[in-house]
Amino acid sequence: MTHGEIEITAELVRDLVRDQHPDLADRPVRLGARGWDNQLWRLGDDLAVRLPWATGSADALLRKEHSWLPTLAPRLPLPIPVPQRLGEPSERFPRPWLITTWVPGTPADRTPVTRAADAAKSLASFLTALHHPAPSDAPAGRDRGGPLTDRTEGFANALTSATDRGLINNPDAVRAVWHDAVTAPAWTGPALWLHADLHPANVLTADGTFCGVIDFGDLCAGDPAYDLAAVWLLLPDDTTDHFYTAYQPTPDTATMRRARGWATAHALGGILIGDDGVHGRPGGKPTWGPPAHAALQRLIATIR
């Protein structure tokens, strides 16, 4: 399904809810956001409807959230969108969809944190609570949470593209961060639960600090370094130590090195998506560029 095959409107959302969950049909419906995989529509004040629209993989991601998030949510210290109802494919809309709780806040790519120490502790508490050994039937993470070396070609291509566009001033410094990360010892511990998509658009802020985490479609099990990359993408300068003091158990040096590698790859992706947004290219998001550029500068500064 592409964007143009079915137009998702408030009327369609109301009809779907009325057909399958009539006890919620009297709630007002309004657009919340159009994301990478799904559209988000408000359903009253405390619920939201998520419908796949842009990618073929979104169906499986929504079903994954429906299966796993109700179990994980109670132990997490920040609010997350907890699935309440599952909508099944129908003649009106041939794909599954979810009704979840609504998490208030503003995405961090639009409103970054200002209370840095508080945000660092909040993020550390969230990841400490999430990063527990996952069961054997936990979902695998597409290209996330595995060996960093598997992303070498993708990293090289992204760096070349960003450099060719004039977005990277010192590609050798970026390569140095990556080299340090890919030469670090691999993760040998148990596969831990990962959010696996902790970029600034998926973490919400209010009153200068984090107030929620959304979009668990890439939830999987793997190396915690993948999520720890978020330290560089979400937090301001000079807050890394605050995070690692609060996060438990304290990561070893190899894990922190791998996290810097993942953060470098994610920053390059954000820089390219931000540039696409500035120039009006499909899939571009201009708000992704500034935090990605800032993260890359912080990462480069770690290599002496």
Side-chain angles (χ1 to χ4, degrees), residues 88-106:
E88 294 292 353
S90 64
E91 290 186 5
R92 288 191 193 275
F93 190 74
R95 308 182 70 172
W97 45 280
L98 276 184
I99 297 176
T100 74
T101 54
W102 170 257
V103 181
T106 305

Side-chain angles (χ1 to χ4, degrees), residues 164-176:
D164 290 345
R165 294 190 198 183
L167 303 171
I168 302 297
N169 295 325
N170 191 347
D172 287 340
V174 179
R175 290 189 190 94

